[in-house]
């Protein structure tokens, strides 16, 4: 286990005390047992004093009060050791009973100084848990004690005052527990100490004879001193009074479990009491149960309200995101459109500069420069067109000019267009088709789609590779497959490559130029035709992209703006 540096000494003390608490049961002398017991209590008091001075909690008062509670408890232990058989109420009982509210004051004061007492939901949860505990105490501790034939004083102390103090302690710590602000070790140790105390008290009241000698019931009581010592020695005790953050979710897992347990306590306790043929005070249990039911309904109302609030916030955020996305698309469309105008003029003038008809011939070096400008401008124009088209697709403003067209001739054009690039790369291109395949489609867009597929195939196929375009008729219309012997697709990429801006890690790592928009646009074009575009890897290496088109694409009206810019 990783122990923080500041807690090394505390962790050592914790481990030594836990070991010594085991030794308590091995020694047979009562004096030795009492000495060990008092060592834990005295150690806890010293640890509180040391922490207040050296660890420096934000607010000292709660810890001073807690320290006084421990002093009273130790005094009670000593008083009990002096006269173990005194009939309650004895000096030890008075000292113990005064100490409980002081212990309970610690969490209450910390909750208040952190501002968590304003969290009504958390306090309602604490009340539900406390009431459930009260039902348990009533059925198993208070009622049986009240029916004992003990002297009145003993009955009041054991049957009413101790259980009442336990309820106070649990109520105070439940308030602490349900606030999510303190997820720190010190908090965990404090809760463990309080829980041990309660276990010891309940066990003792149920089995009164046990509080003597080396009974196991002494262990939880000793453990509460030990855990509280660890709590005050842990540096995180400084944070316990810190301002509470609002939780992200209305109710956490642990709190839900505590509430679930609280709700089960009443029926389970009643069943157990019934099985035990035990009389239970119906009025008391009924009233407590009704109070729990009211609190649960109130709590449900609060949770529903906070879920509604969260839902409302999410809807607002969603709307803002959609708006931001729309603005971004509009911005891209606007910028691309404005870039396109000067670009087309650059391309026009570059073409004129390269045209030697009727003008002075360019020297070789200048011609090379201008050719570079021409190539770069072409690339830039394609990129701008892609961005513009992607933005239009996103905003749903994309239309096709559908006409009867032959897919074989489009495939041939696409191969022609790529011929020079393929040759430079040493990749061979093939077309497989049994004659014209007529469908209704937007010729320009299908050519753009095939340009992209064949361009990618050339990009991702190494020298000596082969690219084949197969055009065929299908039952629904026609299909074109672009098969290459290139790098192929990695698992999971078959769908992802159609996402906007997605580029496979290998394409990025090997600096293959591209934007990740080509296939997004290609698929959109296919789908606007009522068809589909899919990809798969080939077993022998490389990939196959398959375009399916229906015989007739849905007709869409011309959009003059699209014609203007795309
Ligand atoms: P770009 O080619 O500009 O990166 P695309 O949208 O056209 O964008 O392609 C997206 C990704 O799909 C590419 O980066 C590449 O990783 C993968 N890809 C596309 N075509 C092929 C192919 N023929 N072989 C292997 N991978 C491909």
């Amino acid at each position: 286990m990783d122990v923080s540096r500041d807690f090394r000494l505390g962790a050592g003390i914790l481990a030594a005390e836990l070991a010594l608490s085991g030794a308590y049961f091995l020694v047979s002398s009562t004096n030795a047992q009492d000495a060990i017991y008092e060592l834990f209590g005295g150690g806890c008091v010293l640890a509180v004093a040391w922490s207040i001075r050296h660890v420096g909690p934000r607010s000292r008062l709660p810890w001073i009060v807690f320290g006084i509670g421990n002093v009273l408890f130790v005094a009670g232990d000593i008083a009990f050791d002096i006269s173990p058989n005194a009939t309650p109420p004895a000096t030890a009982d008075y000292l113990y009973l005064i100490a409980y509210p002081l212990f309970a004051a610690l969490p209450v004061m910390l909750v208040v100084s952190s501002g968590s007492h304003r969290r009504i939901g958390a306090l309602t949860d604490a009340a539900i848990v406390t009431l459930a505990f009260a039902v348990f105490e009533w059925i198993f501790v208070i009622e049986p004690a009240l029916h004992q034939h003990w002297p009145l004083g003993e009955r009041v102390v054991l049957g009413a005052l101790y259980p009442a103090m336990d309820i106070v302690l649990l109520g105070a710590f439940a308030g602490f527990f349900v606030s999510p602000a303190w997820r720190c070790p010190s908090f965990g140790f404090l809760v463990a100490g309080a829980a041990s105390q309660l276990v010891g008290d309940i066990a003792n009241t149920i089995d009164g004879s046990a509080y003597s000698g080396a009974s196991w019931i002494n262990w939880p009581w000793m453990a509460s001193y030990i855990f509280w010592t660890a709590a005050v020695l842990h540096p995180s005790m400084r944070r316990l009074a810190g301002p509470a953050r609002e939780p992200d979710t209305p109710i956490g897992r642990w709190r839900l479990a505590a509430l679930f347990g609280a709700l089960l306590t009443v029926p389970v306790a009643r069943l157990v009491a019934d099985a035990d043929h035990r009389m239970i005070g119906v009025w008391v249990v009924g009233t407590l149960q009704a109070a729990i039911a009211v609190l649960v309904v109130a709590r449900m109302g609060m949770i529903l309200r906070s879920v509604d609030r969260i839902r409302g916030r999410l809807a607002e955020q969603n709307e803002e995101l959609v708006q931001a996305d729309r603005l971004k698309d509009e911005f891209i469309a606007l910028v691309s459109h404005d870039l396109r105008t000067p670009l087309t003029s650059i391309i026009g003038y570059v073409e004129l500069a390269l045209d030697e008809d009727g003008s002075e011939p360019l020297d070789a070096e200048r011609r090379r420069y201008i050719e570079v400008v021409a190539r770069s401008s072409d690339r830039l124009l394609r990129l701008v067109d892609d961005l513009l088209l992607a933005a239009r697709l996103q905003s749903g403003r994309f239309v096709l000019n559908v006409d009867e067209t032959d897919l074989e001739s489009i495939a041939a054009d696409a191969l022609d267009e790529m011929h020079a690039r393929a040759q430079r790369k040493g990749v061979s291109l093939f077309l497989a088709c049994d004659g014209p395949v007529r469908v209704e489609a937007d010729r320009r867009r299908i050519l753009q789609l095939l340009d992209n597929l064949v361009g990618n195939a050339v990009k991702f196929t190494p020298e000596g590779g082969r690219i084949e375009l197969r055009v065929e008729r299908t039952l629904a219309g026609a299909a074109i497959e672009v098969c290459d012997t290139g790098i192929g697709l990695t698992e999971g990429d078959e769908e992802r490559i159609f996402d906007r801006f997605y580029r496979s890690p290998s394409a990025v790592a090997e600096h293959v130029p591209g934007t990740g928009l080509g296939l997004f646009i290609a698929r959109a074009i296919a789908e606007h035709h009522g068809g589909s575009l899919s990809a798969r890897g080939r077993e022998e290496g490389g990939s196959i992209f398959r375009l399916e088109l229906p015989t007739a694409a849905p007709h869409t009206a011309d959009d003059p703006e699209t014609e203007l810019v795309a």
Side-chain angles (χ1 to χ4, degrees), residues 456 459-460 484 488-489 497 502-504 507 514-516 518-519 543 545:
N456 276 346
K459 257 192 320 193
F460 296 106
D484 65 49
L489 299 171
I497 52 173
Y502 178 78
R503 312 200 58 225
S504 68
T515 55
L519 289 178
S543 41
F545 285 78

Side-chain angles (χ1 to χ4, degrees), residues 397-401 442 445 528 556-559 562:
R397 289 181 296 146
F398 176 73
V399 286
L400 297 173
N401 285 319
D442 183 329
R445 293 298 182 200
H528 273 75
T556 40
D558 276 4
D559 177 353
T562 317

